Amino acid sequence: MFCSRLNAQVTIRAVIPPHGDSQSKIISPAVDAGGYVYVSAQGSHGPDGSLPATFDAQVRQTLDNVKVVVAAAGLTMDNVVYTQVYLTDVSKIQEVDRVFAQYFSKVRPARAVLGVASLPEPAVQINAVAARDLSGLRAVFPANYPRSDSFSPGVLTHDRLFISGMRGVDPASDRVPDDPATQVDLALDGMTAVVKAAGLEMSHVVFVNPYLTKEIPGRVMNERYARRFEFGNTPARATIEVSGLPGSAHIEYTGVAVRDLSTRKAVRPKNMPPSPTASPCVFAGETLYCSAKSGFIPGSHGGVYAADTATQLRQTMRNQLDNLEEAGMDFSEVVSTTVYLDDLADAKEFDKVYAEYLGPVMPARTMLEQISPGDRRADDEGHYPDLEQVSLIAVRKTAKP
């Protein structure tokens, strides 16, 4: 069963800092639901709108902004269990590490870092997940994994495991092998090692972000990835091509696992065939992790047939609604989204449609342009490229017996 409490009610509420925007129709600074607080991506501008002069100061301001939001939820940075760091210059990771080490002194959160083409605010953006219940909280270190002052390879909470970005590098030499398949295997080996060090198996994983550069062929990644999971019962997944990764890596995996396997359940709408690489959504107790969806129309003649972002987004939301309805849920239970845009110049066009579907409590959100805009022309079959993708997390308001 998903919950031992019969018909327990889960409250979903927006978290608004003292000087935050309580009137936004697009985004909540954070959403508190199901024992976790989901913090929207924070940028590097200060409360007065000023931008610090140096990158070091920008990272500090970004983490200060996270801290303010977390405090508004009645928590501290000790409650933060997972972060994602987005950089327009991934070579500055060492500066990020130095600042992180000063903000997290106890159990350092799991973390993924990726290089992107553009952000709504310059240089750096950080989102976070904070846990209310700190019972059983501990850092997870696989055997022989180097210790870091800035992050933990994994963080185990009372019910979940948050897994840091595991890169496709040789652990002995910290070098990137030439062979893409070897890189994929090494990244998956790292993820598996964290999962096993937490006393779990890969079957416990509910969501995965494969972040990869253009150097990793998608077919290679999928073929190696499918070997690690049960066909048709794979984690939800958002596979994202990025501009760069730390240490010149070309692939990394990050994700979430559930401790109690009996609370894990894959959800697949009837119009979606079983997949060797991704389930549309997977439950971790009352929390539903959903794969990234685009404006792809499923079916025998499937494809993306819309030429603009707004129309593609409507199909994306239709696809996500299929997932939610199959889980017995709706858009009002969405607590966090991640939005990948082909071009951030389309943000206003995107937001106008986005606001029509979500609420009344707007989810926490991260928005980014992960690679430079591509060619938007249709191919010979009239299919257009994806101009947006959306992954989401939802929390069931009423627990099932």
Side-chain angles (χ1 to χ4, degrees):
M1 65 179 66
F2 292 127
C3 184
S4 60
R5 296 174 297 163
L6 194 62
N7 295 324
Q9 292 294 123
V10 174
T11 299
I12 296 175
R13 71 177 185 91
V15 176
I16 311 293
H19 302 293
D21 181 5
S22 61
Q23 305 301 315
S24 175
K25 296 180 180 180
I26 303 299
I27 184 172
S28 295
V31 172
D32 189 347
Y36 289 88
V37 175
Y38 300 88
V39 180
S40 290
Q42 301 297 306
S44 50
H45 282 89
D48 62 356
S50 63
L51 180 68
T54 67
F55 179 75
D56 179 277
Q58 289 171 18
V59 176
R60 291 178 188 279
Q61 183 61 63
T62 305
L63 283 171
D64 283 341
N65 294 340
V66 171
K67 186 176 182 179
V68 167
V69 177
V70 169
L75 306 177
T76 73
M77 295 294 266
D78 290 340
N79 294 84
V80 174
V81 294
Y82 183 70
T83 65
Q84 292 229 17
V85 180
Y86 305 88
L87 302 173
T88 52
D89 184 355
V90 77
S91 69
K92 294 184 176 180
I93 182 60
Q94 290 184 339
E95 295 177 64
V96 173
D97 285 344
R98 284 195 294 270
V99 177
F100 258 71
Q102 297 168 24
Y103 277 77
F104 301 101
S105 58
K106 294 185 178 180
V107 175
R108 294 180 172 85
R111 189 185 74 182
V113 179
L114 52 152
V116 300
S118 184
L119 295 167
E121 294 188 24
V124 59
Q125 182 171 269
I126 301 172
N127 64 22
V129 179
R132 285 203 169 274
D133 183 355
L134 297 185
S135 62
L137 183 73
R138 69 178 177 90
V140 175
F141 280 85
N144 302 319
Y145 195 95
R147 298 276 167 165
S148 169
D149 291 333
S150 56
F151 72 98
S152 300
V155 170
L156 199 61
T157 70
H158 67 287
D159 68 341
R160 279 170 227 181
L161 171 68
F162 294 86
I163 306 161
S164 287
M166 295 289 113
R167 299 176 296 138
V169 300
D170 186 329
S173 64
D174 205 34
R175 293 182 178 178
V176 178
D178 292 332
D179 177 41
T182 302
Q183 295 175 42
V184 173
D185 284 339
L186 286 169
L188 286 166
D189 288 345
M191 183 176 223
T192 302
V194 175
V195 169
K196 288 186 175 293
L200 308 178
E201 300 293 336
M202 291 293 272
S203 58
H204 290 247
V205 177
V206 295
F207 183 80
V208 175
N209 263 132
Y211 294 125
L212 66 163
T213 72
K214 61 183 180 181
E215 306 300 325
I216 303 292
R219 60 175 180 77
V220 173
M221 192 275 288
N222 283 330
E223 191 275 329
R224 311 302 285 195
Y225 182 88
R227 299 181 183 187
R228 307 288 178 127
F229 298 100
E230 177 189 356
F231 179 86
N233 194 28
T234 46
R237 195 176 86 170
T239 303
I240 305 301
E241 183 181 341
V242 296
S243 299
L245 292 168
S248 300
H250 295 304
I251 187 163
E252 76 173 26
Y253 290 97
T254 181
V256 183
V258 65
R259 293 183 71 163
D260 182 354
L261 192 57
S262 70
T263 68
R264 183 194 185 281
K265 180 182 179 182
V267 174
R268 178 172 55 83
K270 296 177 178 60
N271 65 352
M272 294 291 294
S275 166
T277 57
S279 294
C281 299
V282 179
F283 270 113
E286 298 302 323
T287 302
L288 184 71
Y289 290 87
C290 287
S291 294
K293 292 294 181 182
S294 69
F296 186 93
I297 298 174
S300 57
H301 299 286
V304 178
Y305 290 97
D308 63 280
T309 297
T311 308
Q312 287 193 18
L313 177 57
R314 292 191 184 281
Q315 180 61 41
T316 295
M317 299 309 259
R318 174 68 258 177
N319 293 339
Q320 289 291 17
L321 184 58
D322 286 344
N323 292 337
L324 292 166
E325 289 181 337
E326 189 68 25
M329 302 172 74
D330 59 43
F331 280 125
S332 72
E333 293 165 295
V334 176
V335 298
S336 180
T337 66
T338 303
V339 175
Y340 306 94
L341 285 184
D342 175 70
D343 191 335
L344 280 177
D346 292 341
K348 287 185 178 180
E349 177 186 357
F350 179 96
D351 284 346
K352 184 177 179 180
V353 175
Y354 179 87
E356 295 175 6
Y357 287 85
L358 296 158
V361 175
M362 293 305 291
R365 192 178 78 176
T366 298
M367 177 182 278
L368 59 137
E369 179 187 308
Q370 72 273 21
I371 56 174
S372 298
D375 186 347
R376 295 192 170 198
R377 291 174 296 183
D379 63 18
D380 293 341
E381 297 181 351
H383 298 166
Y384 288 88
D386 290 334
L387 301 181
E388 48 74 44
Q389 291 187 80
V390 181
S391 63
L392 62 84
I393 303 171
V395 175
R396 189 158 26 204
K397 291 179 180 177
T398 304
K400 301 296 183 182

